[in-house]
Amino acid sequence: MGERFDVETLLGALTLAEKASLVSGSGFWWTRRVERVGIPSIMVSDGPHGLRKQADRHDHVGLGQSVPATCFPTASALASSWDRDLVRAVGAAIGTEARAQDLGVVLGPGINLKRSPLCGRNFEYLSEDPVLAGELGTAMVDGIQGQGVGTSLKHFAVNNQEHDRLRVSADVDERPLRELYLAGFERVVRDAQPWTVMCSYNRINGVYASQDPWLLTEVLRDEWGFDGLVVSDWGAVDDPTKALPAGLDLEMPSTGGASARTLVAAVESGALDEAALDTAIRRLLQLLDRALPGVESDDEASYDAHHAFARTAAAECVVLLKNDREVLPISPDVKHIAVIGEFARTPRFQGAGSSKVNPTRVDDALTALRAGVGDDVTIDFAAGFGVDDPTADAAVLLREAVGKASFAHLTVLFLGLPPSYESEGYDRTHIDLPADQLAVLEAVSEVTDRLAVVLANGSVVAVDEWHDRVQAVVEGWLGGQAGGGAVADVLLGTVNPSGRLAETIPVRLQDTASFLSFPGEDRHVRYGEGLFIGYRHHDAIEGPVSYPFGHGLSYTTFAYEDLTVAPIDAARAADGSTWRGVPRLEVSATVTNTGAVAGKEVVQLYVGAPRTETARPIRELKDFAKVSLEPGESTTVVFVVDERDLSSWSTRADGWVLEPGTFEIALGASSRDLRLMTTVEVAAPPVAYPLDRSSTLAEWLEHPVGHEVLVDALRHSRGGDLSSLTEDPERLRMLGSFPMTRLGTLLGGAVDGDVIDGLLARLEQP
Ligand code: BGC
C-alpha cells in the first residue's frame, strides 16, 4: 500500500460505529468518508462500455443526470473483435474519461458466460467461452487501470440469467464451475489484478455469492491471489453479518445506516469478530490509496477523438456472416442503393439497464452511407417497419420498402431487436426477430437478388428461417454511438471485416444445451448440461448450427500452413516452466493473405483431449491471435500450450489433473473450420487421487503407491496370499468397482475395515 494512510493508526482511531459505517456505501455511488480521521471517499460509476456517471440524485438505471460519455461497442460486439489490443485501447479511453470525471472505479467489465442466448444481459457479456472472455476481460482491466482508475470485475459469479437474479440458486457441479464459470474470472484476477471484484446477486449451490466464504475467500483470494476489494452488486447483500466474514468488503449502495447498525450489534453481542471489519477497512483504504490521484486531477478527455476511435473499434467488431456472389463490399458500379429499415436511421447501439450511456453523439448508418458513396450514387430510404411503435402502419411501410428495393441495384436491409427485447432485469423468451421485420425481409427478397441484411442486436438472433433468402448477412451487434458509421465502413469496403463470432448462432433455441433448464423454477436453476454449453455442446453432438463459434468472413482469404508442435526446450524445465515434468508445447503455423486486399485473420487454437473416462468437450479454445496481413503477406503465429490448457478439474483430486494420452492440437478459423491439425502424445505421470475408505479396488490399483501397499497386504493377508487377484483381469473387471470396505466377505474376510485403515495409514507414511 502507498503512503497515503497510516492504516493501523487509523484502525485504532476509528470507533466501532465508524468502522461499521465504512463498509457500506454513501448514497448510490460513493464510498463513505470519515472526516474526523481524514478518510476521504471516491465515486464509482457504471459501466462496461462507457461511463454512466450520475449525480447523487440518481434514478439507478435511467439516463437522468448522467454525464455525456463516449458509448463504445457493448461487450458482445467488442468480444467479436477477438482483439486484445483493441479492447485494451477501448479500456484506456474509458479510463481517461473516468479520470477526467474524477471517478475512482469503473464498474466493469462483465465477463459472465453466455449459458443461454436468452439471458437479458448477454449484450453486456463477452462470450460463451471462458478463454475468450478471460483474455478480453484482462485486456479491458489493463486498459482502464492503466489510466489510474480501478475496475470491478463482475458479476462474480455464475450470474447467467436475469430471471429471479436476486434470489436464484445456480446449481452447478464443481467441474463446470471450475472449467467454465470461474475460469474467466480466474484468468483476469491472475493476469490483471482488478482493484475490485463485484459479487453477483444470485446464490451458487444455495449460498449467496455475497456471503460465500468458499467463493470470496478460499477461491478468489487464497487460490487466485486476489488482493483487492470485493464490492457487492447493488443490493446483493442479504445479511451483512454473514457477508463480511465471508470476504465481502463493501456493501453498495448505502443502506441508510441499517447495515452498520446490524454490524455494530453483531460485534457487541460477540456474533461477529471486529477483526472482520478491520480487514475490510484495510482493503477499502488500499482501494482509496490506489484510486485517489496524487494531485488534483485536471485531466481532460478528447470526446471527438474518442468518437472517431469508437467508429474504428465498432468496425473491428462487425462479423460478416455470409457473402454470396461477393455482393459486399458495395461495388462502385452500384449506382442505386435501397436502404431499408428504421435502424438505418434510428440506430440501436446499446442495451438497457445500468450500462446505458448518455452518448456524446450518435452516428446513423444512413447518413454515413450517403457521405461515403460518390455523388453519382442514389440512396433511397424506406423505414420498412416501426421499432417498438404500435402506431406504425405495417402494411404501408412494407409496400414502400418493396417499391424502393425493386428499383435499386442493391438493397441493404437493417434489421434488429427492438430495445424492449433485451435488457438488464429480464430475459428473452425466444431468439427471433420481430414478425413485422421478417415480413419485410420476405417481401423485399422477392424483388431483389442482391440483398444484404445488417443486424443490430446484443444477443444472437435466429437466422435459419431467412438467411437463404439473402445474399449477405452482416452482424453489427450493438456497436456503440459510432456503430452506424462503422457498419457503413464495412459495407463500402473502407474497412475489411474481421470480427468473429464469440458465441454460436444456433439453428433453433431448442438446439441450445440449456434449453430445458433455463431459467429454472422455484428459486433454482440446474446447470444440468455441465461442461457442454455453446460450441462445446453443438460440437459434441455434431448438431447443426447456423454459424459456428469463431466464424466470420473477410473480403480476402487466408491460407494456413506448416503446423509445428514442439516441447519447449528442456533447459527451461529446470526453472519451473514445466509442471511435474510435462513440458509446455510451442505451437506455430504460417498464415498468408491469399486474396487481393489487406485483411485480418483470427487464428484460433483448439485442443481436443484424449478419450478417457473423464467426459471432455471434443475441443476447446485455448488461445487465439489476430493478425493483420497485406495481400500476399505471410506471418508466423506462435502459441504456448501449458499443462492447465490440457488439464481438467477433478473433484476426486480436488484440483487440476492432467491425464496422459493423445491430444489433438488444431488451428482454425472457427470451431468447425479447422485448417491444420496434429496430435501429440503427452506422457504425464499417473495422477495420485487421494484414497479413502470408499475407494474401490480399481482405484487402489491405479494409485502409484496404493497399488504396492495393497498388493503387499493381500500377499500377507490372514487368508493366505491373495495377491493373484490383482493379476486376474476377469476378476478385476468384476470386482474393480467394489469399494474395498465391501470386499471383505468376497475375499473371505481378509480385508476388513481395520485392514483398510491400516493401509490408509501406510499411505500417509513418508
Ligand atoms: C447491476 C450492476 C451495476 C450496478 C450499479 C446493478 O443492478 O447488476 O452491473 O454495476 O447495478 O449500477
Side-chain angles (χ1 to χ4, degrees):
M1 197 177 298
E3 301 298 310
R4 197 186 305 259
F5 302 108
D6 179 347
V7 177
E8 298 313 313
T9 308
L10 276 178
L11 284 174
L14 287 165
T15 65
L16 176 60
E18 284 167 341
K19 285 184 184 176
S21 76
L22 273 169
V23 297
S24 50
S26 165
F28 224 73
W29 302 116
W30 290 85
T31 63
R32 193 164 281 281
R33 74 180 68 201
V34 181
E35 265 168 49
R36 190 182 68 78
V37 295
I39 297 180
S41 62
I42 54 168
M43 187 179 186
V44 303
S45 170
D46 285 303
H49 52 266
L51 301 179
R52 187 174 65 103
K53 182 186 177 188
Q54 289 191 319
D56 217 30
R57 284 168 63 79
H58 49 80
D59 60 356
H60 186 24
V61 290
L63 279 183
Q65 299 172 45
S66 136
V67 174
T70 309
C71 179
F72 287 96
T74 73
S76 53
L78 267 188
S80 304
S81 74
W82 290 63
D83 188 335
R84 297 172 180 89
D85 294 340
L86 179 86
V87 175
R88 194 176 301 109
V90 168
I94 293 173
T96 313
E97 293 189 17
R99 187 80 282 165
Q101 293 290 343
D102 293 320
L103 295 169
V105 176
V106 174
L107 302 176
I111 66 159
N112 297 88
L113 295 189
K114 303 182 194 204
R115 173 178 180 247
S116 163
L118 295 178
C119 171
R121 275 184 109 168
N122 272 0
F123 72 91
E124 271 190 79
Y125 297 143
L126 292 159
S127 179
E128 67 189 23
D129 180 87
V131 170
L132 186 56
E135 283 295 290
L136 299 182
T138 296
M140 179 61 88
V141 169
D142 280 344
I144 295 175
Q145 293 192 170
Q147 300 304 310
V149 180
T151 53
S152 204
L153 185 67
K154 68 189 186 183
H155 307 91
F156 189 57
V158 208
N159 182 179
N160 310 102
Q161 65 186 50
E162 291 300 280
H163 174 81
D164 205 13
R165 65 173 165 156
L166 277 92
R167 298 183 312 184
V168 74
S169 174
D171 297 336
V172 202
D173 293 340
E174 193 167 1
R175 262 194 81 196
L177 263 182
R178 294 289 191 157
E179 294 184 28
L180 294 178
Y181 297 102
L182 298 183
F185 286 96
E186 177 179 6
R187 194 172 278 256
V188 184
V189 166
R190 287 190 194 276
D191 292 352
Q193 281 291 348
W195 294 359
T196 81
V197 164
M198 184 191 293
C199 72
S200 56
Y201 286 126
N202 51 286
R203 294 177 293 145
I204 303 169
N205 294 324
V207 184
Y208 280 110
S210 63
Q211 45 201 54
D212 186 344
W214 173 80
L215 184 74
L216 300 185
T217 299
E218 274 178 51
V219 172
L220 179 63
R221 294 186 188 280
D222 300 347
E223 281 184 34
W224 301 348
F226 177 65
D227 81 338
L229 169 138
V230 176
V231 59
S232 73
D233 198 346
W234 268 230
V237 173
D238 190 56
D239 178 349
T241 65
K242 290 191 179 138
L244 208 66
L248 183 94
D249 303 303
L250 178 63
E251 178 180 8
M252 287 301 283
S254 163
T255 58
S259 290
R261 286 191 292 278
T262 306
L263 289 169
V264 168
V267 172
E268 284 173 345
S269 73
L272 177 70
D273 189 345
E274 192 173 339
L277 282 171
D278 292 349
T279 302
I281 291 168
R282 280 194 191 91
R283 295 182 187 138
L284 176 69
L285 291 173
Q286 172 181 260
L287 176 66
L288 299 182
D289 190 47
R290 286 170 161 170
L292 290 164
V295 287
E296 210 40 41
S297 156
D298 58 358
D299 294 343
E300 280 192 23
S302 167
Y303 291 102
D304 284 344
H306 285 182
H307 182 76
F309 174 53
R311 180 165 175 163
T312 310
E316 295 289 311
C317 305
V318 171
V319 185
L320 180 61
L321 295 174
K322 162 175 181 164
N323 191 19
D324 286 356
R325 303 199 338 256
E326 297 189 349
V327 73
L328 295 179
I330 299 173
S331 150
D333 298 337
V334 173
K335 299 298 179 198
H336 188 171
I337 303 169
V339 171
I340 314 280
E342 186 57 55
F343 291 116
R345 176 172 65 179
T346 316
R348 174 144 188 269
F349 58 95
Q350 64 174 331
S354 63
S355 69
K356 196 163 180 184
V357 176
N358 181 8
T360 59
R361 52 202 242 215
V362 178
D363 288 349
D364 65 89
L366 181 59
T367 307
L369 279 170
R370 286 191 164 133
V373 296
D375 292 344
D376 57 341
V377 176
T378 305
I379 294 188
D380 267 345
F381 172 74
F385 50 85
V387 177
D388 277 342
D389 176 9
T391 65
D393 184 334
V396 171
L397 292 172
L398 184 136
R399 246 192 328 274
E400 185 198 13
V402 171
K404 297 260 159 92
S406 54
F407 285 110
H409 300 141
L410 177 108
T411 298
V412 188
L413 177 55
F414 286 77
L415 305 178
L417 294 178
S420 62
Y421 271 51
E422 45 181 350
S423 167
E424 178 177 341
Y426 55 88
D427 300 313
R428 289 189 295 172
T429 52
H430 63 81
I431 59 171
D432 299 324
L433 288 169
D436 56 344
Q437 294 188 29
L438 293 177
V440 174
L441 183 147
E442 188 171 344
V444 166
S445 70
E446 300 286 329
V447 297
T448 173
D449 63 355
R450 295 180 70 75
L451 176 58
V453 166
V454 176
L455 294 171
N457 49 300
S459 335
V460 291
V461 293
V463 300
D464 183 62
E465 300 257 313
W466 53 262
H467 68 154
D468 288 342
R469 307 180 75 98
V470 308
Q471 284 64 54
V473 184
V474 176
E475 177 53 271
W477 301 114
L478 302 180
Q481 66 181 52
V487 161
D489 292 339
V490 168
L491 292 173
L492 296 172
T494 326
V495 171
N496 187 351
S498 63
R500 304 289 184 263
L501 289 177
E503 56 197 293
T504 310
I505 302 185
V507 174
R508 306 172 310 160
L509 176 65
Q510 294 89 315
D511 298 331
T512 58
S514 59
F515 176 67
L516 292 175
S517 58
F518 184 97
E521 61 219 5
D522 298 337
R523 304 185 192 186
H524 285 268
V525 51
R526 171 85 194 129
Y527 285 36
E529 71 286 353
L531 294 168
F532 299 94
I533 64 168
Y535 70 91
R536 287 170 169 77
H537 160 73
H538 298 290
D539 290 353
I541 63 165
E542 295 179 8
V545 298
S546 287
Y547 295 102
F549 176 79
H551 168 79
L553 303 175
S554 164
Y555 296 149
T556 186
T557 48
F558 300 93
Y560 292 51
E561 292 163 299
D562 301 334
L563 175 64
T564 63
V565 178
I568 292 180
D569 61 284
R572 276 160 63 187
D575 68 8
S577 66
T578 66
W579 338 267
R580 301 185 299 118
V582 184
R584 295 189 299 177
L585 303 171
E586 186 172 275
V587 178
S588 71
T590 306
V591 181
T592 305
N593 180 344
T594 48
V597 290
K600 294 180 182 171
E601 175 67 330
V602 177
V603 183
Q604 302 158 36
L605 169 75
Y606 292 91
V607 169
R611 305 280 132 234
T612 63
E613 280 181 15
T614 310
R616 304 276 298 259
I618 299 295
R619 66 186 64 89
E620 297 181 279
L621 182 79
K622 296 297 172 184
D623 209 344
F624 56 93
K626 191 164 192 177
V627 294
S628 178
L629 295 168
E630 293 297 318
E633 193 188 353
S634 297
T635 193
T636 304
V637 287
V638 181
F639 302 101
V640 173
V641 173
D642 66 18
E643 180 181 25
R644 174 67 182 270
D645 294 325
L646 307 177
S647 301
S648 57
W649 180 267
S650 164
T651 310
R652 208 170 130 203
D654 193 25
W656 296 98
V657 297
L658 174 56
E659 294 182 306
T662 309
F663 285 80
E664 176 191 294
I665 309 275
L667 295 183
S670 83
S671 85
R672 297 212 169 167
D673 181 8
L674 305 177
R675 305 287 180 85
L676 299 170
M677 194 189 295
T678 188
T679 56
V680 55
E681 289 301 319
V682 174
V687 184
Y689 293 104
L691 295 174
D692 58 27
R693 270 181 141 243
S694 13
S695 297
T696 62
L697 173 61
E699 287 165 356
W700 274 85
L701 292 174
E702 274 163 19
H703 192 281
V705 186
H707 183 105
E708 301 309 318
V709 171
L710 177 65
V711 172
D712 187 50
L714 288 174
R715 192 168 292 134
H716 302 106
S717 80
R718 273 175 275 146
D721 183 350
L722 298 175
S723 62
S724 63
L725 163 69
T726 63
E727 281 147 26
D728 180 343
E730 237 161 68
R731 285 183 74 201
L732 276 185
R733 247 199 313 270
M734 264 280 300
L735 298 177
S737 62
F738 270 73
M740 288 286 289
T741 43
R742 316 264 186 88
L743 275 176
T745 24
L746 292 168
L747 295 182
V751 184
D752 60 17
D754 290 345
V755 171
I756 292 160
D757 287 341
L759 295 181
L760 289 170
R762 278 175 67 189
L763 280 183
E764 299 286 307
Q765 287 160 15

